[in-house]
Amino acid sequence: MLVMPEPSAARSAPPSFAAGPVIAVAVVYAAVLTALSGRYGFHRDELYFLQAGHHLAWGYVDQPPLTPLLARASTAVFGTSPMGLRVVATLAGVLIVVTVALLARETGGGRAAQLAAAAATAVSSMVLMSGHLVSTATFDLLAWLVICLLAARLLRTGDPRWYVAIGAATGIALLNKDLVLLLIASLVAAVLLVGPRRVTSRSGAWRWAAGGVALAVLIVAPNLWWQARHGWPQLTVASGIDRKDGMLNRATFIPFQFVYLAPTLAPLWIAGWLRLWRDPDLRRLRAFTIAYPLACVVVLATGGKCYYVLPLLLVLLAAGAEPVVGWATRGRSRPALLAAGVLVTAVINGVATLPVLPPSSVSTVNAVDKEQGEQVGWPRLVATVAGVWQTIPADQRSRAVILTQNYGEAGAIAMYGPRYGLPEPYSGHMSFFDWGPPPDAANGPVLLVFFRDNKVLPSQFEGCRPAATVDDGVGLSNDEQGAEIQVCAGLRGTWSDRWPALRSYY
């Protein structure tokens, strides 16, 4: 039987890694993020992760354990401050930049292409935001890209031993977010559709693949055990995302594929898609051109977030760096035009995603990136709560409870409350529910913090009176601006009886 030889470029080793230029880009990226990491304050989700890190478990109702663990580790080493917490996010961002450069190399990109891919990645909206804030998306983005790099090695070399590395990376990724299963499913389906089938038909391939699957399951097993024991609450949270934001996510999905990186970077990933699809020397990597639209279809169908598939877009961007650099070198003014495009993208995305503006001016970008506004006003919220707490008679405070609508409010009070002598707060939101309820002996007044349109929470209490309104002091219209603080005489019943009714996943 005749076997046609594979294209030589697919068999040959990729170009040398442009370590110096790529590391230089990563260092500049890290320096900018570090310089800005202490501005504004903690994000709502970061306050939650910090508290989850103090209640370490193999799982939480809305996430696996990795991000809270990394949040605790970062603050333990670098201090409990926004800057100390965000060290791990910045390091993840650096690895993202380097990984995309390695993907450009894997697709045959030379030193200039690797540099272009690293620079474009470093100035993209999603990577700037991910490197600035600690979130599950930060480490999910890195995990997807690492798996894509390992998958590209598998597809290029045909060596089934890469399955084990992919399995290990997938297991670790599953300890951060279940979304990585979408990547695996999309890549597997794409390989079955367009090949190369050699990675599945080669002798011993299935044994290596089974070993990779077994390793992934072994790594994530503790979290699976936790989820099963608690009734798979992450499925409840995921269905809530679709009900709450599904229609908006679907309507904005296509435009945000351009916005979340930058419209100016679209030529890179479009060129990358065309290159992987058309170039016979890269036909082994053609599966990525199918995996991206497959993942998009699933996210659209389920009403998921627009940024879920962006790692695959960065893979296409990496592949597009070589032809774009080639285009730039064929004209006298084109290199300057390419550099100017990267610079303009850096400025626009930096202002839109990083704490560059004064807090009083954040409203100008908050409509585009509401995560900016979620970093402003938490100390003032806690100061307002403390002022209301002082109005509770001293002889009643030992039996009084602070209860909040969401984990951001509770996390902020837990963070800043001790300086005012406030007790630990309680909340029925997400995993804060599991860290309650208050003791039944706490049958005194209840200080409630909640959004004004929430009629359910105050209805659980009696004798409630408005006590204060949250004001961030800079006129920023974020979620907490105008929140209500009330003091209630007590709960309608006991905490142990009423606590299940206070649970909230949204």
Side-chain angles (χ1 to χ4, degrees):
M1 177 179 177
L2 283 174
V3 179
M4 295 299 294
E6 298 290 340
S8 59
R11 292 200 314 267
S12 62
S16 61
F17 178 48
V22 170
I23 291 174
V25 171
V27 167
V28 172
Y29 169 87
V32 171
L33 290 182
T34 300
L36 296 173
S37 63
R39 285 178 57 82
Y40 299 174
F42 290 109
H43 185 276
R44 173 192 305 276
D45 292 348
E46 292 177 323
L47 291 165
Y48 176 46
F49 296 141
L50 287 170
Q51 292 309 304
H54 290 292
H55 297 82
L56 289 177
W58 278 113
Y60 303 89
V61 298
D62 52 341
Q63 63 188 308
L66 186 59
T67 297
L69 178 63
L70 291 174
R72 178 167 178 175
S74 191
T75 51
V77 175
F78 301 104
T80 305
S81 67
M83 181 177 288
L85 171 65
R86 291 167 180 166
V87 170
V88 289
T90 300
L91 291 175
V94 166
L95 292 175
I96 288 168
V97 170
V98 173
T99 303
V100 174
L102 288 171
L103 280 161
R105 172 179 178 263
E106 199 65 30
T107 61
R111 293 176 64 83
Q114 294 171 41
L115 173 60
T121 301
V123 302
S124 64
S125 296
M126 188 63 188
V127 177
L128 285 172
M129 192 186 313
S130 296
H132 173 60
L133 296 176
V134 170
S135 70
T136 54
T138 299
F139 307 109
D140 195 51
L141 177 56
L142 174 59
W144 276 49
L145 288 169
V146 169
I147 292 169
C148 286
L149 177 61
L150 297 172
R153 293 277 175 88
L154 169 65
L155 296 173
R156 178 176 61 81
T157 65
D159 186 344
R161 290 176 294 182
W162 286 108
Y163 280 119
V164 177
I166 292 171
T170 301
I172 295 170
L174 285 168
L175 289 177
N176 177 66
K177 207 167 185 178
D178 295 340
L179 187 63
V180 72
L181 293 175
L182 172 62
L183 171 63
I184 301 301
S186 299
L187 283 174
V188 170
V191 169
L192 293 176
L193 287 170
V194 299
R197 294 182 178 85
R198 184 182 177 187
V199 299
T200 59
S201 61
R202 184 173 176 175
S203 176
W206 286 106
R207 288 195 297 273
W208 287 103
V213 171
L215 182 57
V217 172
L218 180 65
I219 292 172
V220 77
N223 176 249
L224 294 176
W225 169 80
W226 189 95
Q227 285 288 325
R229 198 171 156 221
H230 290 79
W232 304 98
Q234 282 184 235
L235 297 178
T236 303
V237 175
S239 64
I241 292 175
D242 185 23
R243 286 197 300 272
K244 181 181 178 183
D245 300 320
M247 291 304 297
L248 177 62
N249 290 341
R250 293 181 181 95
T252 58
F253 183 86
I254 292 177
F256 273 46
Q257 296 305 292
F258 295 86
V259 172
Y260 266 121
L261 293 184
T264 52
L265 299 180
L268 275 165
W269 58 263
I270 293 172
W273 192 95
L274 292 172
R275 181 179 178 225
L276 292 180
W277 183 254
R278 294 175 175 175
D279 191 339
D281 287 343
L282 294 173
R283 72 170 184 259
R284 282 174 170 251
L285 303 180
R286 189 175 292 173
F288 287 106
T289 66
I290 302 299
Y292 172 64
L294 284 177
C296 289
V297 169
V298 173
V299 174
L300 275 168
T302 57
K305 301 289 187 181
C306 309
Y307 60 80
Y308 284 175
V309 298
L310 287 186
L312 284 168
L313 210 54
L314 285 171
V315 175
L316 300 179
L317 179 148
E322 181 71 14
V324 168
V325 166
W327 169 86
T329 57
R330 290 193 294 270
R332 180 175 300 179
S333 61
R334 289 179 181 178
L337 181 63
L338 184 60
V342 172
L343 182 60
V344 169
T345 302
V347 172
I348 293 174
N349 285 349
V351 171
T353 61
L354 298 178
V356 175
L357 300 174
S360 58
S361 302
V362 173
S363 294
T364 59
V365 298
N366 207 45
V368 177
D369 177 25
K370 66 173 291 185
E371 310 307 332
Q372 293 255 42
E374 293 302 308
Q375 302 167 62
V376 176
W378 296 110
R380 284 183 62 95
L381 180 148
V382 178
T384 304
V385 170
V388 174
W389 179 260
Q390 293 300 319
T391 67
I392 298 175
D395 61 340
Q396 297 181 25
R397 290 177 202 160
S398 63
R399 297 183 294 107
V401 169
I402 298 177
L403 183 74
T404 73
Q405 173 176 327
N406 62 56
Y407 61 55
E409 298 156 347
I413 294 169
M415 171 63 63
Y416 301 111
R419 69 181 64 169
Y420 300 104
L422 296 180
E424 284 292 316
Y426 293 88
S427 180
H429 191 212
M430 297 301 185
S431 281
F432 262 95
F433 175 89
D434 297 321
W435 308 329
D440 286 339
N443 57 0
V446 179
L447 189 157
L448 292 180
V449 184
F450 62 99
F451 296 167
R452 288 181 173 177
D453 61 354
N454 187 336
K455 306 302 181 184
V456 175
L457 185 61
S459 69
Q460 303 291 327
F461 303 88
E462 56 188 6
C464 297
R465 59 176 178 82
T469 300
V470 174
D471 183 358
D472 54 40
V474 294
L476 174 60
S477 183
N478 60 12
D479 286 349
E480 296 299 329
Q481 183 73 343
E484 185 85 8
I485 301 177
Q486 292 190 3
V487 176
C488 303
L491 179 70
R492 299 180 187 274
T494 64
W495 287 109
S496 56
D497 289 339
R498 300 300 301 164
W499 193 242
L502 298 173
R503 162 150 256 172
S504 170
Y505 291 104
Y506 317 114

